[in-house]
Amino acid sequence: MKKYLKIALAALAMVVLTTSCLKDLDVEPLDENLPVATNVFDSPEAYMQALAKLYASYAVSGQEGPSGKPDIEGIDEGFSNYLRQYWNAQQLSTDEAVMAWNDATIKDFHWQTWAPNDVFIAALYARVFYTISISNEYIRNAAGKEEYKEFLAEARFIRAHSYWHALDLFGSPGFVTEDDAPGAFFPRQIGRTELFNYIESELKAIENDLGNPRFMYGRADKAAAWMLMAKLYLNAEVYTGQNRYADAVTYLEKVLDAGYTLAPAYSDNFMADNHTSPEMIFSINYDGEFTRSFGGMVYLIHAAIGGTMPADEFGVGGGWGGLRTTKAFVQKFYPDVVNGIYSTPRPRNYKNSYPVIYVPGNYMIPEWDPANSAQLASVNSDGNYEGYIWVEAGKEFKFTDGPSWDVNYGDDGFDGTLDPGGANIIPAETGYYKLNVNLNDLTYTMVKTDWGIIGSATEGLWDYDQNMTYDPATGLWNAILDLTAGEVKFRANDGWDINYGDSGLDGILDAGGDNIAIPEAGTYVFAMKLGTPDYTYSITRTAFDKRAMFWTDGQTLEINDIGQFTEGYAITKFKNVNKDGSPARFPHPDYVCTDYPVFRLADAYLMYAEAVKRGGGGSESRALELVNQLRTRAYGAADGNITGGELTLDFILDERARELYWEGHRRTDLIRYDKFTTSAYLWPWKGKVPNGTATGSFRNLYPIPAAEMSANPNLQQNTGY
């Protein structure tokens, strides 16, 4: 179910009962031509369409995406989208995300200063119970119909999933099921333990009726139910005060043995074709053609783009400049980071329109084709051209003044003088050659170069170079070095005749230019691309963990003003392009095809390890093996693997952040570890203090919205509000 079915089920929105007091509700529409429950559920196709509506309630917010015919009146559709509001509640309230916008009370999430009249919390509560209500209506109509048993089980899963959100976020919400016929009444409030037991009983009741794991992408199957059950049990001490870690292990073992595998690359799970990932267990699906919304994944991709970030690299037409992360989260990958992860600026004027000449030869493919050959550029437009080429011994080349052979030069005597139509030039050795051509006096030079890095930040100081290696496949000179705070430059052949710095720190190398500052000690990855001017480079501090997806160009590590997008590192995790770099199936500047991973196998690996470490039984060796599988993928080798002694609960919490950030788990994880509101863990602007401070423990639950409290006298507000 990559695309939700096209739906026109206004009746579901009309006949459902929310948790508010619904006075004078006429559940039959006055227009006899509009659909109602009695004629919506009149065919197998209708039941499938109605089921699709239940799934779609997470992704879209009305009958006509991205807006029009909203499910809930009186609130902006994109603003009130289920996934968007759930993500805000789970992520903006933690160390993993901050928001620059001034929309209503949005910053109160990160500050942990929300109140019962918060419009975002009201929107989230309404969305949760809208999905519960339309699920109730579906269940009411499908109950007892054997031919729809699997559909019915999926509807009950969706309801249980939303009730789990209510349990986790609000504790003791209002409660309605299919047994509560639509009408004007005050729903009762259910206690947290009772709601836990209800969700548990529902999942056990439907387990055998759901499809087998991976029977159809995007639909709830047995593995999705096992994951939800494991989530319930892993957090049972928070919800009920009772330890259920052994039960969590039992259900996680079912998931682990269900045939899912890790995607080859971590990033495969967050691209426009992530429906092909073998580790996706349950997802909220998006399609740039059929599921359009200004919430959900459209929000997560667009709002995370701003500053110097090129939107086209993310497969969209522009950024909204809102979401980024805090230093506390960056330190999960760079524990000792102080001044920032140094990353050179992206060149603003890369490949300026300089005059060029061409260097065809048989050293490259296609051979002897000027139009597709390397080029030399005249940066000053003065007849002097420069550039670099890689040539193997015995290969040949010439120069042409255009992408054809009309005017070409060789060297008849191999004496540095160019001859029109002259002999091919044949370097004596394989190497990376710096070529300079003067067409004013028809001379040229070629110097074989090997490159290194020198400076006060290096082990050799200014005395000797740290060697770089050349990769002919990429055309890059590379090095990985442990540096101290100081300065560096690039130079050729262990001498100063050819050296580059960066005057102006614009990401473009200048001959004899300024030293490049390294702000603090760490391991850095160097890449230098010469070829045709402009010459460029990058120096990036690395964690060797490919999950560290930060955009640092133009961003500061510290956040002094939470309202400035450029303060705090940006996150580049979600993209609307395919994993091979090709456009999404339905490319669009606004809408995306990237699905949201609700449950994936990596989460199950870490949940299993945690449940084992918390005394739930299972296998310590299997737990370690699963965690190291994730780290092997993250590091590309076993370099990041840990020992059994290092597999502690605190390590697992940090590893969950590294693996699962921005996937909607962080608030729940921090509460389970008693670090969400306490002083045991602080992050920037927690409690509306720059360095963070503890907040009231009552904020482990969100308040029941004030409007809901006013409408239903059966409800009691959560303590502290």
Side-chain angles (χ1 to χ4, degrees):
M1 196 181 282
K2 171 63 175 170
K3 299 190 295 288
Y4 293 111
L5 297 177
K6 295 181 181 179
I7 309 157
L9 299 178
L12 281 178
M14 294 176 181
V15 301
V16 298
L17 179 69
T18 68
T19 58
S20 298
C21 174
L22 303 180
K23 297 181 179 179
D24 301 320
L25 176 64
D26 185 350
V27 299
E28 295 288 335
L30 298 179
D31 186 345
E32 63 183 12
N33 293 317
L34 289 176
V36 295
T38 55
N39 60 42
V40 165
F41 296 100
D42 61 359
S43 69
E45 294 76 14
Y47 274 91
M48 175 58 94
Q49 287 183 327
L51 182 64
K53 173 62 181 179
L54 304 189
Y55 285 104
S57 69
Y58 292 132
V60 298
S61 47
Q63 303 298 316
E64 293 180 355
S67 61
K69 295 185 179 179
D71 293 330
I72 299 173
E73 295 285 358
I75 192 167
D76 177 82
E77 284 193 59
F79 168 97
S80 67
N81 170 265
Y82 194 132
L83 175 55
R84 176 169 171 169
Q85 290 311 321
Y86 180 72
W87 191 94
N88 285 344
Q90 287 289 90
Q91 296 293 164
L92 287 180
S93 57
T94 75
D95 57 332
E96 288 186 0
V98 292
M99 171 58 79
W101 302 344
N102 289 314
D103 291 5
T105 55
I106 191 70
K107 290 188 175 70
D108 287 347
F109 277 118
H110 193 74
W111 291 334
Q112 295 193 2
T113 57
W114 54 76
N117 62 351
D118 189 286
V119 64
F120 296 100
I121 294 173
L124 174 57
Y125 194 92
R127 281 294 169 194
V128 168
F129 281 96
Y130 174 77
T131 294
I132 289 169
S133 297
I134 59 176
S135 298
N136 284 339
E137 182 63 23
Y138 189 97
I139 294 164
R140 190 177 295 117
N141 283 273
K145 296 180 173 65
E146 184 65 22
E147 64 271 33
Y148 303 129
K149 182 170 67 173
E150 188 173 79
F151 291 178
L152 177 62
E154 291 177 58
R156 291 173 72 178
F157 170 86
I158 291 170
R159 181 176 63 181
H161 185 235
S162 287
Y163 262 131
W164 173 59
H165 289 165
L167 172 73
D168 189 72
L169 295 161
F170 300 104
S172 299
F175 183 70
V176 287
T177 71
E178 75 277 15
D179 295 329
D180 300 302
F185 73 99
F186 298 116
R188 73 181 182 91
Q189 187 168 26
I190 188 170
R192 207 174 195 191
T193 298
E194 184 185 355
L195 182 54
F196 176 97
N197 293 336
Y198 171 78
I199 298 169
E200 179 187 31
S201 66
E202 280 288 285
L203 293 173
K204 287 183 175 180
I206 65 174
E207 179 179 349
N208 293 329
D209 293 336
L210 290 166
N212 289 324
R214 306 193 73 180
F215 82 101
M216 181 178 286
Y217 178 81
R219 289 175 63 180
D221 55 26
K222 288 182 174 66
W226 298 334
M227 278 293 287
L228 182 52
M229 191 75 91
K231 290 283 184 186
L232 200 65
Y233 290 141
L234 191 65
N235 294 284
E237 275 196 295
V238 173
Y239 300 151
T240 70
Q242 183 180 0
N243 178 330
R244 300 291 296 272
Y245 300 117
D247 292 319
V249 167
T250 297
Y251 279 89
L252 287 164
E253 286 176 340
K254 293 184 178 186
V255 175
L256 299 179
D257 297 335
Y260 295 91
T261 58
L262 294 180
Y266 177 73
S267 59
D268 291 353
N269 295 296
F270 317 110
M271 311 298 281
D273 55 352
N274 60 348
H275 62 284
T276 64
S277 169
E279 71 180 272
M280 202 75 81
I281 296 172
F282 185 58
S283 58
I284 297 174
N285 295 352
Y286 282 88
D287 188 302
E289 182 71 16
F290 297 106
T291 43
R292 294 182 170 185
S293 167
F294 289 119
M297 291 305 300
V298 169
Y299 166 68
L300 290 184
I301 292 175
H302 282 272
I305 300 170
T308 66
M309 302 170 73
D312 60 330
E313 291 186 12
F314 295 82
V316 294
W320 298 351
L323 299 171
R324 64 266 193 237
T325 195
T326 72
K327 179 173 73 173
F329 175 66
V330 174
Q331 288 173 330
K332 298 294 180 284
F333 294 96
Y334 304 91
D336 60 346
V337 67
V338 177
N339 297 313
I341 306 167
Y342 180 75
S343 181
T344 52
R346 289 172 63 89
R348 304 296 183 270
N349 299 309
Y350 181 60
K351 294 299 182 188
N352 279 312
S353 298
Y354 305 129
V356 297
I357 61 174
Y358 298 79
V359 193
N362 64 357
Y363 68 96
M364 60 185 304
I365 298 174
E367 295 183 0
W368 298 109
D369 181 3
N372 292 292
S373 69
Q375 299 174 8
L376 311 181
S378 179
V379 174
N380 298 316
S381 301
D382 59 0
N384 289 287
Y385 295 82
E386 180 180 296
Y388 290 81
I389 62 172
W390 171 264
V391 185
E392 294 181 2
K395 297 296 184 179
E396 306 172 329
F397 64 87
K398 297 183 75 172
F399 303 107
T400 67
D401 71 350
S404 71
W405 287 99
D406 293 345
V407 178
N408 69 87
Y409 303 95
D411 184 355
D412 289 333
F414 202 60
D415 57 3
T417 300
L418 291 175
D419 303 292
N424 299 341
I425 301 169
I426 308 173
E429 299 179 81
T430 296
Y432 194 74
Y433 287 87
K434 181 176 185 286
L435 302 178
N436 287 86
V437 173
N438 185 336
L439 289 186
N440 301 310
D441 59 14
L442 294 183
T443 59
Y444 76 100
T445 60
M446 54 186 300
V447 178
K448 183 175 177 290
T449 61
D450 288 293
W451 286 87
I453 299 159
I454 193 168
S456 61
T458 72
E459 178 184 352
L461 302 175
W462 293 104
D463 299 324
Y464 61 89
D465 295 46
Q466 310 299 305
N467 292 334
M468 305 180 76
T469 58
Y470 181 69
D471 182 357
T474 63
L476 295 175
W477 285 90
N478 301 294
I480 300 176
L481 301 176
D482 291 327
L483 303 179
T484 60
E487 298 177 322
V488 296
K489 294 189 80 171
F490 300 92
R491 71 174 186 172
N493 303 333
D494 299 316
W496 290 104
D497 291 345
I498 306 173
N499 74 88
Y500 294 115
D502 185 357
S503 300
L505 199 63
D506 58 2
I508 297 174
L509 290 170
D510 304 289
D514 293 345
N515 298 344
I516 301 166
I518 303 298
E520 63 183 54
T523 302
Y524 290 81
V525 174
F526 287 75
M528 180 175 65
K529 188 173 183 63
L530 299 177
T532 306
D534 290 320
Y535 306 143
T536 61
Y537 72 103
S538 66
I539 306 173
T540 305
R541 189 175 180 190
T542 181
F544 298 103
D545 189 328
K546 296 180 179 64
R547 299 171 297 186
M549 297 179 174
F550 300 118
W551 185 274
T552 61
D553 180 18
Q555 306 289 132
T556 64
L557 178 65
E558 298 287 351
I559 301 175
N560 295 312
D561 181 354
I562 201 171
Q564 295 295 322
F565 178 82
T566 53
E567 297 189 16
Y569 285 170
I571 296 287
T572 62
K573 184 168 183 172
F574 295 110
K575 294 183 178 181
N576 186 41
V577 294
N578 294 328
K579 59 189 177 186
D580 64 0
S582 62
R585 181 184 179 192
F586 297 109
H588 194 281
D590 296 323
Y591 312 115
V592 304
C593 294
T594 311
D595 299 336
Y596 182 79
V598 178
F599 300 141
R600 60 183 179 91
L601 184 63
D603 188 10
Y605 281 12
L606 293 168
M607 290 170 64
Y608 180 83
E610 182 180 341
V612 169
K613 296 303 292 185
R614 289 187 183 274
S619 167
E620 290 265 359
S621 62
R622 189 179 193 185
L624 178 63
E625 177 190 357
L626 295 175
V627 171
N628 278 336
Q629 284 185 36
L630 297 179
R631 293 183 65 79
T632 297
R633 177 174 70 174
Y635 282 72
D639 298 345
N641 288 8
I642 62 169
T643 65
E646 294 172 305
L647 186 62
T648 64
L649 284 174
D650 282 341
F651 175 88
I652 292 169
L653 178 62
D654 286 346
E655 190 69 6
R656 287 186 63 80
R658 287 185 285 265
E659 177 70 30
L660 301 167
Y661 65 95
W662 281 32
E663 295 181 51
H665 304 287
R666 188 60 169 167
R667 170 190 161 274
T668 302
D669 289 346
L670 289 174
I671 290 171
R672 188 171 65 255
Y673 277 78
D674 198 27
K675 294 185 176 182
F676 182 62
T677 57
T678 68
S679 60
Y681 178 48
L682 303 178
W683 56 84
W685 295 102
K686 175 181 177 179
K688 208 174 180 179
V689 171
N691 293 323
T693 189
T695 60
S697 61
F698 68 92
R699 294 191 182 277
N700 286 333
L701 285 174
Y702 286 107
I704 296 174
E708 200 70 19
M709 293 295 301
S710 299
N712 186 354
N714 289 335
L715 300 178
Q716 290 187 359
Q717 184 59 273
N718 288 327
T719 301
Y721 295 105

